[in-house]
Amino acid sequence: MEKLRDTAGANKLAVIIAYFLIYVVWGSTYYFIGVAIKGLPPFLMGAFRFTAAGLLLLTWRYLQGEPVFRRSLIRKSAVSGIVLLFIDMAVVMLAQRYLSSSLVAIIASSTAIWIMAFDAPMWKKNFRNPPVIIGLMVGFLGVMMLYIEQLHPADIGVHSEYGVLILIFGCISWSLGTLYAKYRSSGEEDVNAFAGSAWQMIFAGAAFWVVSFINGDAFNTDLATVPSYAWLSLAYLIVFGSILAYSAYIWLLKIRSATEVGTHAYVNPFIAVFIGMYFGKEHVTYIQMAGLIIILLSVLLISRRPR
């Protein structure tokens, strides 16, 4: 049985800000990733993003006097960083070779369901709680409604099964990495988990560097020709997407249930649609608007579960 920390004494404002970061800021990163990779190769962009974010966060925690070089913390963070950040983002990039971005978004949203399925310490509570189960199913339906009109027969093309299998593997990897980060990656003394998330990003960045050197991106990219909008988007991803939002995610996992925190998988596409409307001048249909409302209702159902 999971021993959730009593959150009554936690700073409610901090919790609200943390959810804002993983819901809204992470949702906005879809747009900025798309902008950044117009000027930088995806794996090289990931290498810059996570290396810079991890080193900046680690330096800050070190200057604050936190013991950031504990061997156990580094070892466990290496596992979380590779499984959570590197594998998940890498498989999304690979899956988009075989599937449309719309279908990728729909399948990726199933992460919330996988988290509940693998969260063994919470099985008894979650599977006996109808609002949680209904909320997860309804949320997945809402995400499908966001993108269903963008799907075409061409989305299910040659070798599309490769993309589906790769993406499901990524969703499972993120789910297992989330649960490992919650239960195993840091001890009771690491409630804020900032040092842990810093090491996770450093190891993910190292993995991206390895791939970038192997596929030639690190050698063949002329950084002097990278447009300023790509660098600005990268800076946003480093500060807001990684240092703030990812750290908030790891922190929330320590004080809230993984199933509840995992609802970001539904809300992120919700935010991405609004960002696309505002910046990309994209048209939103009535079906998509209904999907947005359904997603909000599903999150409310899940968040009202007994603690």
Side-chain angles (χ1 to χ4, degrees):
M1 186 70 175
E2 180 190 13
K3 296 181 180 179
L4 287 175
R5 290 183 176 84
D6 181 8
T7 61
N11 189 318
K12 291 184 178 180
L13 179 60
V15 172
I16 292 172
I17 292 174
Y19 271 108
F20 174 84
L21 289 170
I22 70 168
Y23 281 175
V24 179
V25 173
W26 252 358
S28 71
T29 58
Y30 283 94
Y31 174 80
F32 287 99
I33 288 173
V35 174
I37 62 177
K38 290 178 180 178
L40 285 165
F43 285 99
L44 186 60
M45 186 271 289
F48 279 128
R49 174 184 177 180
F50 292 113
T51 302
L55 290 175
L56 287 171
L57 185 57
L58 191 71
T59 300
W60 174 55
R61 297 314 301 165
Y62 177 77
L63 294 176
Q64 292 294 312
E66 187 171 341
V68 299
F69 294 106
R70 284 169 297 165
R71 185 173 300 176
S72 61
L73 175 65
I74 296 173
R75 183 181 67 252
K76 293 176 180 178
S77 296
V79 175
S80 298
I82 298 298
V83 176
L84 255 178
L85 292 173
F86 173 70
I87 292 180
D88 180 73
M89 292 199 65
V91 299
V92 168
M93 295 173 188
L94 292 174
Q96 287 184 315
R97 294 182 177 181
Y98 306 101
L99 303 172
S100 70
S101 58
S102 300
L103 194 54
V104 167
I106 291 172
I107 298 174
S109 70
S110 68
T111 299
I113 299 174
W114 288 110
I115 289 175
M116 185 181 76
F118 291 125
D119 193 2
M122 291 293 290
W123 279 350
K124 186 175 181 180
K125 179 176 289 187
N126 283 339
F127 287 105
R128 289 184 179 181
N129 197 310
V132 172
I133 298 174
I134 294 173
L136 287 169
M137 299 300 109
V138 169
F140 187 71
L141 172 63
V143 174
M144 288 190 66
M145 292 177 69
L146 287 182
Y147 295 100
I148 194 69
E149 293 180 323
Q150 300 177 34
L151 297 180
H152 304 284
D155 295 336
I156 311 298
V158 179
H159 297 312
S160 61
E161 69 276 9
Y162 296 167
V164 172
L165 291 174
I166 290 171
L167 195 53
I168 289 176
F169 173 75
C171 293
I172 292 174
S173 175
W174 178 271
S175 303
L176 294 176
T178 290
L179 295 172
Y180 184 87
K182 178 173 180 61
Y183 296 116
R184 298 290 301 277
S185 69
S186 61
E188 294 294 316
E189 72 278 8
D190 294 314
V191 179
N192 61 22
F194 287 141
S197 62
W199 280 114
Q200 289 167 28
M201 288 186 282
I202 288 172
F203 280 105
F208 275 108
W209 278 116
V210 170
V211 176
S212 295
F213 278 106
I214 291 175
N215 67 14
D217 286 347
F219 299 109
N220 300 326
T221 303
D222 184 1
L223 297 182
T225 64
V226 175
S228 58
Y229 62 77
W231 290 120
L232 290 173
S233 295
L234 178 61
Y236 178 89
L237 293 170
I238 290 171
V239 176
F240 294 97
S242 295
I243 293 178
L244 295 178
Y246 185 70
S247 296
Y249 182 72
I250 298 300
W251 178 73
L252 280 172
L253 285 174
K254 300 303 175 182
I255 64 171
R256 312 290 278 199
S257 76
T259 298
E260 181 181 313
V261 179
T263 55
H264 75 87
Y266 294 156
V267 181
N268 289 165
F270 174 105
I271 299 300
V273 168
F274 272 99
I275 295 292
M277 289 171 55
Y278 186 79
F279 290 103
K281 308 300 181 182
E282 298 174 1
H283 176 65
V284 175
T285 67
Y286 288 113
I287 291 179
Q288 290 175 319
M289 290 299 296
L292 298 177
I293 295 172
I294 287 175
I295 290 172
L296 286 180
L297 292 175
S298 74
V299 173
L300 290 175
L301 279 171
I302 297 170
S303 65
R304 291 185 63 183
R305 52 179 285 284
R307 300 285 187 263

